[in-house]
Amino acid sequence: MLGELNSESLRKTIINDTQNETNLHVEWWIVRHGLTPWNVERRYQGHSDQKLLSGEASGLELLRKEIEEVSFSAIYCSDLSRCRDTLAYVRPDLQQVAICDDRLRELNFGEWEGQTYDMLKEDPLYRSWIDNPQEVTPPGGESWDQFRDRVTSVYRELMLLSHSLVAEEQNPVILIVTHGGVISMLSSILQPGLGFWDTKVPIGGILRHKIQL
C-alpha cells in the first residue's frame, strides 16, 4: 500500500498523452504527498486533514532533491495539510505562489475515514465497495461519479492553463501536489484505456506526464 521509497520509484516514465507533428508540449509533474501517521497505520484518510510525520520520517528527502533545481511555471496543490506540508518541505519557496484547490483532495471515504481494512472487512457494504467502487458509495462519502467529475474539472482547467503557457514559454512544467487516488484518476483521464488501478505512485513519489499540444 505504501510502496517502496527509492530513487527509482521517484523517476517514473514520462507518458505521452497525444502525439502529433508539433514540438509544443507541457509536462505535469504530479507528486503524491509524504507519509502521515494514518498511512503508517493503514487507515483511510480521504478528506480527514492529517499532518505529515515530521522531518525525514515523512519520506520526502529524495523528492526534495529531485525537484530542488526545477523551474515550475505553475503550482497546484490539494488544500489538505498533508499536501500543503509536502510542498512546504520540498519547495518552501513555492508556497506563496501555489494554488490550493479542494478539487485535488482524495476521495471522501465518509464514515470509513480513520478505519482500517481489518476494522471494516466484516461490513457487507464495505465488501461490496471493494469489489465494485464505481457502483457503491461509502456511507456519508463521495460517489465514484462525483470523484471523477471533480477531478475532470481540474483536469480541464489544467489543460486550458497548459495551452496558455505554451504560447508564452517553451516546454513549461506544472507541479501538482495531491493524493494517490487523484493521481490514478488524472492518469486514466489523460490516457483513455488506462485503468484506475493501473497507476501506482508511492508515498512521496512523482509521476511525469508529457502532453503534446
Side-chain angles (χ1 to χ4, degrees):
M1 183 176 180
L2 300 182
E4 186 69 20
L5 271 177
N6 52 50
S7 58
E8 185 62 28
S9 70
L10 289 171
R11 292 173 173 84
K12 296 294 179 181
T13 302
I14 292 178
I15 299 172
N16 291 316
D17 177 39
T18 58
Q19 293 184 353
N20 52 42
E21 295 180 356
T22 181
N23 289 321
L24 295 177
H25 72 265
V26 62
E27 291 185 19
W28 294 4
W29 289 28
I30 313 179
V31 165
R32 187 177 177 189
H33 63 79
L35 200 65
T36 72
W38 279 14
N39 284 132
V40 175
E41 297 167 1
R42 305 181 74 84
R43 298 179 187 274
Y44 286 100
Q45 295 187 101
H47 284 200
S48 296
D49 203 14
Q50 291 292 301
K51 294 284 189 179
L52 291 182
L53 293 172
S54 62
E56 292 185 9
S58 65
L60 294 171
E61 287 300 316
L62 288 174
L63 177 63
R64 180 159 66 176
K65 294 175 182 176
E66 185 85 359
I67 69 172
E68 62 183 353
E69 302 292 336
V70 181
S71 177
F72 294 103
S73 302
I75 301 92
Y76 275 69
C77 185
S78 163
D79 67 332
L80 293 177
S81 294
R82 57 191 183 272
C83 289
R84 291 187 289 107
D85 291 348
T86 294
L87 181 62
Y89 189 83
V90 299
R91 285 294 298 267
D93 58 308
L94 301 179
Q95 292 181 84
Q96 297 303 315
V97 295
I99 297 171
C100 293
D101 194 322
D102 61 4
R103 292 174 298 172
L104 288 168
R105 290 186 177 192
E106 183 60 278
L107 176 74
N108 184 349
F109 297 107
E111 295 175 14
W112 294 340
E113 294 190 7
Q115 301 193 60
T116 66
Y117 171 82
D118 286 338
M119 296 166 66
L120 293 166
K121 63 184 180 181
E122 303 302 328
D123 183 339
L125 182 63
Y126 176 72
R127 297 298 313 174
S128 296
W129 177 77
I130 288 289
D131 293 335
N132 192 3
Q134 290 86 353
E135 300 297 331
V136 179
T137 301
E142 187 174 24
S143 73
W144 189 266
D145 286 345
Q146 289 172 325
F147 180 47
R148 183 179 178 86
D149 285 350
R150 70 172 166 87
V151 176
T152 298
S153 172
V154 75
Y155 157 80
R156 288 173 175 157
E157 181 174 314
L158 288 166
M159 286 299 294
L160 288 172
L161 174 62
S162 297
H163 281 277
S164 175
L165 288 172
V166 296
E168 301 172 356
E169 57 186 290
Q170 186 174 13
N171 303 333
V173 182
I174 300 174
L175 178 66
I176 305 162
V177 184
T178 184
H179 309 264
V182 176
I183 296 173
S184 294
M185 186 64 79
L186 274 174
S187 296
S188 68
I189 294 169
L190 280 164
Q191 285 194 290
L194 184 73
F196 177 86
W197 305 109
D198 294 336
T199 301
K200 299 184 185 302
V201 177
I203 296 290
I206 184 169
L207 178 66
R208 300 174 183 84
H209 282 283
K210 181 179 180 180
I211 304 167
Q212 302 291 340
L213 300 174

